[in-house]
Amino acid sequence: MRILRLPRLTGWRPIATTLILAGLLAAVARFTLGLGATTNLNDEFPWGLWIGFDFLGIGLAASGFTIVAAVHLFHAEEYEPIVRPAILTAFIGYLLVVLVLIIDLGRPDHFWHPLVMWNPHSVMCEISWCLMLYTTVLSLEFAPIILEKFHIHAPIKWIHAVSLPFMIFGVLLSTLHQSSFGSLYLIVPNRLHALWYTPLLPILFFISCIASGLSMIILESLIFSRSGRPFLPTRLRANLAKAVALALAVYFVVRIQDLLSRSGFRDMTTLTYYSAAFWAELLIGFVIPFGMLLFEKVRISPSGLYSASLMVVLGFAFNRMNTAITGLEHYPSQTYFPSIIEIFIMLGITACGFCAFSFIAGRLAIFPAGESAGSHHHEAQGGLQDPLPRPPECEDPRPSQADALSRAQHYGG
Amino acid sequence: MTHKKAMLIDISLCVGCNACQAGCKGENGLPPDEEKYLSLTAYTALTKYNDLYVRRMCQHCDVPTCVSVCPVGALTKSAAGPVSYDGEKCIGCRYCLQACPFHVPKYEWSSTKPSIRKCKFCPTRIAKGLPTACAEACPTGATIFGDRDELLAEAARRIQAEPGKYITRIYGEQDVGGTSMLYLSPVPFEQLGFDPRLGKTPMPMLTMSALSKVPNVLSVGGVLLAGIWWITNRRTEVQAHESALKQGKAHAQEDEA
């Protein structure tokens, strides 16, 4: 199966298996020995790598709501081919984040408490509700893909009948909790370093998740186009890249303007542990990719776009980890570095995500043109290098006018 | 009506005998060894600054940060003053450890069913009309227990009586929205490890400014998205209709011909 070669890593399977097994062992250790013995967390540093991973997972899964909004709410139907990959990415991302959150909880057996014990003043409460509700919405958006595989069509009709309000609700929930992850830190102005603390944290978190979510979908489309079957025409991918560039620019302006207005110039320009991390994040994730994406040549070149999107995702990871870890450290007296068990659990769960994605993408109709898994079995025998002739129906994945109309009626109920 | 209880801690009177910690440990059944920092087994501790001693413990804030951040309401503020904790509700998210402006809650990291621990403000003693164990144990009157209003008046009286002895500030009167622990000091509080960055605004207000927008985002956002959907959908429909009309005309012309 071509799709299984996703990361194009020699020996991906043994590596993934090892990572997942190591992660499992680490999880067993965490549950039997407790957090103190297995993590480097302590009273002064109660949140660490796992919280950073949650931010990351949720942010990268942001493509789910942006693409659904663009295609189904704003009727940018030419992007239809990326809806399913985006929903799958989001669905897997959210499930993994929920899993990590439960592992991170001191009392995993109480994980359901936010369902029945509310505190409307708590950002954490709002986030747990948004996560639960949005994961439900995602599973509704994902369900038809599974159901059609098994030719169960009646529930698909019901889901379509109610899909419009659900999609709107999903987009709103995403907007809320993507920004709320930033709001978590509004209450620690005395702890979080001034380079990251700002009352605008929720807004900055929201803008950056749009850039990273779209970059993630660009990366996916490039990786899956490699075999010579692009599922997103170059022009549309270039347009997505424009949207990324716009989000990066808005982010950069808001962030720098806000820092300057709160007299952060000194923090920014003096070389410290913090300013180094700050500039690394800003250059890798925002400035350089923005500069690259300004050029049409980069936007239409797969390798150029690949590196620019990868940088956005890396810089985004840097930003979230800086907010969750670096900004809270008291360098050099009190720093935090995750324990080996924390790292193994995170890597194991990441590997699970990649495996789940390629497993599902290989068996369900995630990518356009609707071929079933069996049809390109023999293609996999051929090397990745020799380009295969494109099936004619893939050349223009834009739905016809009539398709659009029928879909519009579908969602209109 | 319950009177809001508080403690007045006069740093100039403290001799560092640690009787408060011993009294606290006795009351809470904690191992009696002397400890220098707050821990799972020390709900109060003395920090030494030159020849001054400062008591650290839960401040039992009037608008407690920990109560506001707890997603399941495991922490609650009672009218009498104490901020109490219910380990049966706690999910162990540790947001209270992260958010407490005074770094007070301590976590049972080594347990597989961990809880947080901190000063409880002796709620059972208060209910019986008794002073807190630490105030009772204090031999010099550096810590006294009473109604918050009366203690504030007493603190103001002391500052007025000996202006040279104290700086004119009662820490906790308004800091982070007011606390149950009121401090008097002969030197500026910044020199005694009190965080100068904490203002008078209760910390939960910082979050509320964002959380209060949630209903707006939901209602305005919902209408906006539905509106955009309707407009773009209408556009698609009109396009389809027009092309169908054109085709129809073309057919009609063909027929005529």
Side-chain angles (χ1 to χ4, degrees):
Chain A
M1 194 53 253
R2 179 169 311 279
I3 281 157
L4 286 179
R5 300 192 181 194
L6 161 70
R8 285 233 295 192
L9 205 65
T10 351
W12 160 247
R13 278 187 194 210
I15 293 175
T17 317
T18 318
L19 286 180
I20 292 174
L21 285 178
L24 264 178
L25 278 177
V28 170
R30 178 257 168 273
F31 284 114
T32 47
L33 303 174
L35 287 167
T38 51
T39 68
N40 283 346
L41 301 170
N42 54 47
D43 286 332
E44 287 303 308
F45 221 97
W47 291 355
L49 180 71
W50 292 336
I51 287 278
F53 176 85
D54 293 334
F55 289 0
L56 202 59
I58 293 296
L60 295 179
S63 54
F65 87 94
T66 40
I67 300 295
V68 164
V71 174
H72 290 320
L73 299 182
F74 306 163
H75 292 88
E77 255 125 18
E78 60 273 28
Y79 292 98
E80 176 75 37
I82 51 176
V83 168
R84 286 183 168 197
I87 290 180
L88 179 60
T89 310
F91 194 40
I92 292 177
Y94 275 79
L95 289 180
L96 297 185
V97 164
V98 170
L99 188 63
V100 174
L101 275 176
I102 290 176
I103 293 176
D104 200 353
L105 286 183
R107 294 294 300 265
D109 50 322
H110 287 175
F111 79 95
W112 51 275
H113 280 187
L115 275 173
V116 286
M117 304 166 189
W118 296 17
N119 175 13
H121 297 282
S122 170
V123 180
M124 189 72 91
C125 183
E126 188 224 326
I127 289 181
S128 5
W129 268 93
C130 281
L131 280 183
M132 280 184 295
L133 292 174
Y134 187 57
T135 311
T136 314
V137 169
L138 276 174
S139 58
L140 276 179
E141 288 175 344
F142 189 68
I145 306 175
I146 301 179
L147 292 171
E148 71 185 22
K149 170 82 177 171
F150 297 102
H151 305 288
I152 309 168
H153 293 290
I156 300 184
K157 271 187 200 155
W158 306 332
I159 291 174
H160 276 314
V162 294
S163 70
L164 179 65
F166 270 103
M167 284 185 301
I168 292 180
F169 191 45
V171 172
L172 292 173
L173 287 171
S174 299
T175 313
L176 285 179
H177 70 255
Q178 292 285 358
S179 48
S180 290
F181 273 106
S183 310
L184 275 180
Y185 290 93
L186 287 178
I187 207 152
V188 290
N190 54 328
R191 291 197 186 193
L192 184 58
H193 193 275
L195 283 172
W196 290 278
Y197 184 86
T198 155
L200 294 185
L201 264 174
I203 293 166
L204 289 173
F205 262 54
F206 182 70
I207 305 173
S208 51
C209 88
I210 291 179
S212 68
L214 290 180
S215 300
M216 201 55 189
I217 220 63
I218 293 178
L219 281 179
E220 276 171 28
S221 91
L222 283 166
I223 291 168
F224 291 107
S225 297
R226 274 185 185 162
S227 51
R229 303 185 326 107
F231 73 86
L232 197 63
T234 314
R235 185 181 61 80
L236 294 184
R237 213 161 47 210
N239 284 346
L240 281 183
K242 271 187 199 164
V244 172
L246 181 68
L248 293 179
V250 172
Y251 181 91
F252 184 80
V253 171
V254 174
R255 178 106 186 255
I256 296 294
Q257 199 275 333
D258 171 67
L259 260 172
L260 290 179
S261 74
R262 292 180 311 102
S263 51
F265 186 73
R266 215 166 145 203
D267 284 326
M268 270 157 59
T269 49
T270 333
L271 182 67
T272 58
Y273 179 71
Y274 302 100
S275 68
F278 170 81
W279 283 111
E281 146 197 339
L282 218 57
L283 288 177
I284 296 174
F286 299 90
V287 178
I288 299 177
F290 173 73
M292 289 170 76
L293 291 175
L294 282 182
F295 297 96
E296 176 78 9
K297 218 165 102 187
V298 176
R299 293 198 299 265
I300 57 171
S301 124
S303 60
L305 199 49
Y306 190 88
S307 16
S309 311
L310 199 61
M311 286 178 83
V312 174
V313 169
L314 284 179
F316 174 84
F318 225 131
N319 168 260
R320 294 305 197 254
M321 290 294 180
N322 278 342
T323 313
I325 296 171
T326 320
L328 290 163
E329 286 177 325
H330 289 288
Y331 183 81
S333 64
Q334 189 243 319
T335 57
Y336 158 88
F337 193 82
S339 73
I340 200 83
I341 290 185
E342 284 175 86
I343 294 173
F344 271 139
I345 287 184
M346 192 194 79
L347 289 179
I349 283 177
T350 314
C352 276
F354 276 102
C355 290
F357 190 93
S358 56
F359 180 84
I360 295 172
R363 275 154 192 83
L364 300 176
I366 300 300
F367 291 98
E371 291 108 324
S372 65
S375 68
H376 23 203
H377 238 303
H378 40 274
E379 285 175 17
Q381 323 283 296
L384 273 168
Q385 308 311 324
D386 48 28
L388 291 153
R390 300 175 185 182
E393 69 268 32
C394 287
E395 298 239 289
D396 182 15
R398 294 183 61 176
S400 65
Q401 202 74 264
D403 272 353
L405 183 61
S406 73
R407 206 182 356 260
Q409 282 163 348
H410 238 141
Y411 293 118
Chain B
M1 194 195 136
T2 347
H3 280 286
K4 216 196 271 177
K5 299 295 178 190
M7 288 204 276
L8 177 61
I9 298 152
D10 189 333
I11 294 171
S12 68
L13 294 179
C14 181
V15 293
C17 69
N18 220 28
C20 47
Q21 191 180 59
C24 172
K25 289 193 167 204
E27 170 71 20
N28 289 294
L30 301 168
D33 8 330
E34 194 171 315
E35 291 184 66
K36 284 204 157 54
Y37 303 99
L38 291 185
S39 74
L40 290 175
T41 49
Y43 299 161
T44 177
L46 289 172
T47 322
K48 193 176 180 202
Y49 294 88
N50 297 322
D51 52 349
L52 295 173
Y53 295 88
V54 180
R55 278 194 68 191
R56 303 275 175 227
M57 75 274 227
C58 175
Q59 305 292 298
H60 298 277
C61 308
D62 284 351
V63 191
T65 312
C66 56
V67 171
S68 91
V69 298
C70 180
V72 290
L75 288 150
T76 44
K77 170 84 179 171
S78 71
V83 171
S84 40
Y85 167 74
D86 180 355
E88 283 308 302
K89 284 186 171 180
C90 179
I91 58 172
C93 72
R94 312 186 293 281
Y95 199 1
C96 50
L97 277 85
Q98 182 77 276
C100 172
F102 302 102
H103 303 242
V104 164
K106 300 295 166 215
Y107 201 61
E108 295 173 343
W109 290 100
S110 56
S111 164
T112 47
K113 291 205 164 177
S115 298
I116 64 153
R117 292 204 197 174
K118 66 171 195 69
C119 157
K120 299 168 181 160
F121 208 1
C122 298
T124 40
R125 290 179 67 100
I126 291 183
K128 285 186 211 154
L130 293 168
T132 52
C134 54
E136 197 174 68
C138 182
T140 63
T143 297
I144 53 172
F145 173 85
D147 288 347
R148 193 170 186 270
D149 302 340
E150 285 170 21
L151 290 179
L152 278 174
E154 167 67 15
R157 200 189 53 73
R158 285 188 200 179
I159 291 176
Q160 211 168 23
E162 290 173 274
K165 190 178 168 193
Y166 300 103
I167 57 154
T168 44
R169 179 175 173 197
I170 307 167
Y171 192 95
E173 184 180 13
Q174 292 171 327
D175 300 82
V176 293
T179 64
S180 305
M181 302 302 144
L182 308 166
Y183 292 83
L184 279 179
S185 164
V187 299
F189 286 99
E190 290 70 32
Q191 296 173 18
L192 301 175
F194 288 81
D195 193 336
R197 287 167 299 180
L198 302 173
K200 290 181 179 172
T201 323
M203 312 297 272
M205 301 305 288
L206 295 169
T207 315
M208 276 322 282
S209 64
L211 271 182
S212 59
K213 298 197 174 65
V214 168
N216 277 351
V217 170
L218 281 177
S219 53
V220 176
V223 173
L224 192 74
L225 288 174
I228 294 177
W229 176 85
W230 187 80
I231 291 169
T232 50
N233 183 51
R234 176 83 187 147
R235 198 169 59 194
T236 321
E237 276 178 354
V238 168
Q239 271 172 7
H241 184 69
E242 277 173 355
S243 66
L245 270 186
K246 260 185 209 160
Q247 271 179 7
K249 262 186 197 162
H251 279 300
Q253 279 167 357
E254 270 172 36
D255 287 347
E256 272 174 32

